[in-house]
Amino acid sequence: SISQSDNGFIYVANNKGLLEFNGGDWNLYETPNETIMRSVKAIEDKIFTGFYMDFGFWKKNKFGSLQFTSLVKKTKVNLLEDEQIWEIENLDNYVLFKSLERIYIYNTENGKIEIINAENRINKLSKIDDTFYFQVDKKGLFKIENGTAKLVSDDSILKENTIVELFKNKEKLLFLTKKK
């Protein structure tokens, strides 16, 4: 995963941790639990990351180095066994962390986390305008409304094919699937 902050720095999630590129030099911030970092998203003065059994944010200390705060530990979230965070999205004061079976909704104003559980694998989380959409295997397409999952369509195309991306095209949703 790759993201760019407002100051132009590039952040890359990789096998060793979080890479930071300031335009001249690379810095590596190792993942706190020494696992592969899967996702990164720069939002204002924080760099949100997700990896094996943890997610949270990095913020510069007074010396200019990034320090990690685990939202899992801070909010005492119970992750699923072997859970990894694959995607991060944001809207207003919410940051969403997607694993293969859950979406964690972090409220940056009050510090609370809500959890959306899925019966099957969550394939894709996409933000279109001010709405988050996600697909659940064999269930269909959902959107997040007031912190809960609401079914948008259970058409067989959306239940039986893996969505790899969603787009808006002429005020309609366009789906790109793995095979159709």
Side-chain angles (χ1 to χ4, degrees):
S1 182
I2 189 168
S3 186
Q4 186 171 17
S5 63
D6 292 341
N7 66 359
F9 284 26
I10 302 292
Y11 294 93
V12 181
N14 80 358
N15 289 355
K16 297 285 184 186
L18 178 64
L19 282 172
E20 175 188 63
F21 183 64
N22 65 10
D25 296 308
W26 287 95
N27 288 312
L28 173 65
Y29 295 93
E30 292 186 10
T31 309
N33 62 9
E34 299 178 354
T35 61
I36 297 171
M37 190 165 290
R38 300 290 185 191
S39 53
V40 61
K41 180 87 170 179
I43 305 168
E44 296 175 358
D45 66 338
K46 294 182 176 88
I47 312 304
F48 289 87
T49 59
F51 40 95
Y52 176 81
M53 297 302 291
D54 206 351
F55 60 87
F57 62 87
W58 302 78
K59 190 172 179 177
K60 298 264 183 189
N61 62 20
K62 64 182 178 181
F63 304 107
S65 294
L66 291 174
Q67 287 190 305
F68 182 70
T69 299
S70 170
L71 291 174
V72 171
K73 290 177 184 165
K74 188 175 183 179
T75 61
K76 297 181 174 75
V77 169
N78 290 320
L79 297 176
L80 301 173
E81 185 177 344
D82 293 330
E83 195 166 20
Q84 299 187 56
I85 303 300
W86 292 92
E87 293 180 69
I88 302 171
E89 290 286 350
N90 73 297
L91 178 66
D92 299 328
N93 61 311
Y94 295 98
V95 180
L96 283 69
F97 299 86
K98 185 197 83 66
S99 73
L100 296 180
E101 297 169 345
R102 284 181 169 174
I103 297 173
Y104 297 90
I105 304 171
Y106 172 61
N107 184 322
T108 60
E109 289 182 348
N110 65 22
K112 294 184 180 178
I113 291 181
E114 293 182 43
I115 301 171
I116 294 176
N117 290 292
E119 294 175 27
N120 298 329
R121 180 183 172 129
I122 300 173
N123 292 317
K124 183 67 186 161
L125 174 66
S126 294
K127 180 172 75 170
I128 308 291
D129 295 330
D130 290 342
T131 304
F132 291 102
Y133 294 92
F134 65 98
Q135 182 198 30
V136 177
D137 268 354
K138 299 175 180 50
K139 297 289 181 182
L141 182 71
F142 293 81
K143 68 178 177 179
I144 299 174
E145 197 171 86
N146 298 319
T148 60
K150 181 178 178 184
L151 182 66
V152 174
S153 175
D154 61 356
D155 187 278
S156 62
I157 292 286
L158 301 176
K159 286 170 57 174
E160 298 166 9
N161 296 282
T162 301
I163 295 175
V164 294
E165 193 58 76
L166 281 84
F167 306 93
K168 186 175 178 183
N169 184 18
K170 298 178 184 173
E171 301 304 313
K172 295 183 181 181
L173 290 179
L174 178 65
F175 306 95
L176 178 62
T177 64
K178 202 172 188 178
K179 295 185 179 176
K180 295 195 176 191

